[in-house]
């Protein structure tokens, strides 16, 4: 049984907001990952903002946990944006050999929120495009009969 | 010298916090403090993962180089092939294989003394710019 994390996951319209304010040990980081995925599934959230501006270091375990969480969330149709990474943390992560490839990042909460809004709009218009196309195909089919 | 025993997972957090604190007091800038605490985190985790327990010793560099020295001591299984363990992405467990090579890149000096079956001592140093 994993310990509970003292980190609240707040819902804000279509998104979730998580702010990591304390240095997490490994099991707590894993528990947080699980909590986030469960909340996505419960709330059908389309995006998650994870604020790490208070984190003074991200080592290979935390970095991998964040990257994994982002990949897992995307299979639940939710996008994760990591927000507010300190410059010293970014430098160290790359030197460590762990650039967070594939993970979307933003400089602050405002930018992260914009990113999520934009990608939600893009997804909606893509979906609409596909629906229109299939309607056209149906129309073609009925015409050729 | 500060000694942080590593017995459980939360001790990794204690070790990296203590190392950062010492680095700050010795006059390291924020980026170097972060490099040091990250390297300490990786190597303290290695103790926890591979040996189960051990100790982290944090001290001011005693010799000519001004800076910090951190020593990681365990009586675990030792490292069979140090050269291999220093390769990026190689890991004997399902860990990422970033620990040793990553810590080496983040510091100015690393030394590994190990004997299979008799434990491992890893020493890292970060020097203050002269």
């Amino acid at each position: 049984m994993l310990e509970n994390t003292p980190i609240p996951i707040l819902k804000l319209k279509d998104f979730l907001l998580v702010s990591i304010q304390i240095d997490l040990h490994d099991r707590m980081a894993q528990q947080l990952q699980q909590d986030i995925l469960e909340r996505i599934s419960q709330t059908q959230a389309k995006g998650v903002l994870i604020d790490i501006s208070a984190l003074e270091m991200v080592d290979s375990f935390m970095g991998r946990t964040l990257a994994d969480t982002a990949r897992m969330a995307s299979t639940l149709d939710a996008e994760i944006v990591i927000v507010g990474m300190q410059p010293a943390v970014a430098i160290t992560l790359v030197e460590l050999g762990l650039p967070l490839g594939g993970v979307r990042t933003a400089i602050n909460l405002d930018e992260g929120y914009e990113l999520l809004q934009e990608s939600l709009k893009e997804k909606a218009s893509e979906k609409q495009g596909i629906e229109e196309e299939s309607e056209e195909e149906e129309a073609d089919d009925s015409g050729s009969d | 010298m500060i000694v942080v025993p590593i017995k459980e997972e939360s001790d990794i957090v204690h070790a990296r916090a203590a190392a950062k604190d010492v680095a700050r007091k010795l006059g390291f800038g924020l980026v170097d403090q972060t490099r040091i605490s990250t390297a300490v985190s990786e190597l303290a985790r290695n103790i926890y993962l591979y040996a189960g327990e051990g100790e982290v010793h944090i001290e001011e560099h005693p010799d000519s180089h001004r800076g910090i020295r951190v020593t990681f001591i365990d009586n675990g299984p030792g490292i069979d092939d140090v050269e291999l363990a220093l390769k990026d992405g190689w890991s004997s467990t399902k860990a990422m294989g970033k620990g040793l090579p990553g810590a080496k890149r983040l510091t100015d000096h690393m030394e590994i003394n190990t004997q299979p079956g008799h434990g491992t001592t890893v020493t890292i140093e970060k020097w203050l710019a002269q």
Side-chain angles (χ1 to χ4, degrees), chain A residues 115-132:
Chain A
L115 253 182
L116 284 180
Q117 289 277 24
E118 273 167 34
S119 91
L120 203 61
K121 267 186 220 156
E122 269 170 36
K123 270 188 194 166
S125 65
E126 269 172 34
K127 205 177 165 192
Q128 207 179 4
I130 291 167
E131 274 165 16
E132 275 167 15

Side-chain angles (χ1 to χ4, degrees), chain B residues 40-128:
Chain B
V40 168
S41 187
E42 300 296 335
L43 298 173
R45 182 177 294 104
N46 279 359
I47 292 181
Y48 178 75
L49 285 180
Y50 300 108
E53 58 176 53
E55 278 181 358
V56 178
H57 297 183
I58 306 162
E59 63 195 325
E60 189 175 353
H61 198 289
D63 307 327
S64 53
H65 286 288
R66 289 202 313 127
I68 190 170
R69 172 188 281 176
V70 188
T71 313
F72 305 79
I73 304 156
D74 70 59
N75 293 311
I79 304 170
D80 281 334
D81 188 339
V82 172
E83 215 175 303
L84 187 62
L86 276 168
K87 274 193 184 154
D88 250 324
W90 189 87
S91 172
S92 61
T93 63
K94 62 183 172 166
M96 279 197 85
K98 294 286 178 201
L100 277 178
K104 190 174 183 190
R105 272 196 297 271
L106 292 173
T107 54
D108 293 319
H109 180 72
M110 177 188 256
E111 226 176 276
I112 303 171
N113 286 300
T114 183
Q115 219 184 335
H118 291 91
T120 303
T121 300
V122 179
T123 306
I124 54 172
E125 293 176 7
K126 189 86 186 163
W127 306 324
L128 282 156

Side-chain angles (χ1 to χ4, degrees), chain A residues 2-135:
Chain A
L2 295 171
E3 293 165 45
N4 286 328
T5 53
I7 298 168
I9 302 173
L10 308 175
K11 184 175 174 294
L12 181 69
K13 305 217 170 172
D14 287 327
F15 306 137
L16 299 177
L17 178 59
V18 185
S19 185
I20 305 176
Q21 300 281 334
I22 52 163
D23 196 1
L24 297 179
H25 65 67
D26 297 358
R27 252 174 313 142
M28 279 164 78
Q30 281 176 329
Q31 179 65 51
L32 179 64
Q33 173 182 75
Q34 196 178 314
D35 291 349
I36 290 171
L37 295 170
E38 272 167 16
R39 279 303 292 274
I40 291 171
S41 157
Q42 279 166 11
T43 59
Q44 313 266 293
K46 292 294 166 208
V48 186
L49 292 164
I50 303 179
D51 167 44
I52 62 164
S53 57
L55 283 191
E56 292 181 349
M57 62 127 258
V58 172
D59 65 4
S60 66
F61 189 90
M62 190 64 190
R64 180 181 56 166
T65 305
L66 289 171
D68 285 351
T69 309
R71 272 196 298 275
M72 291 166 183
S74 80
T75 67
L76 297 174
D77 198 27
E79 190 166 344
I80 284 188
V81 179
I82 305 287
V83 170
M85 186 186 293
Q86 291 184 14
V89 172
I91 291 168
T92 305
L93 261 181
V94 171
E95 287 177 354
L96 188 62
L98 197 87
L100 292 177
V103 180
R104 300 194 85 172
T105 52
I107 206 103
N108 57 34
L109 272 179
D110 284 340
E111 298 283 333
Y113 185 75
E114 290 286 319
L115 253 182
L116 284 180
Q117 289 277 24
E118 273 167 34
S119 91
L120 203 61
K121 267 186 220 156
E122 269 170 36
K123 270 188 194 166
S125 65
E126 269 172 34
K127 205 177 165 192
Q128 207 179 4
I130 291 167
E131 274 165 16
E132 275 167 15
E133 251 173 53
S134 62
E135 272 167 29

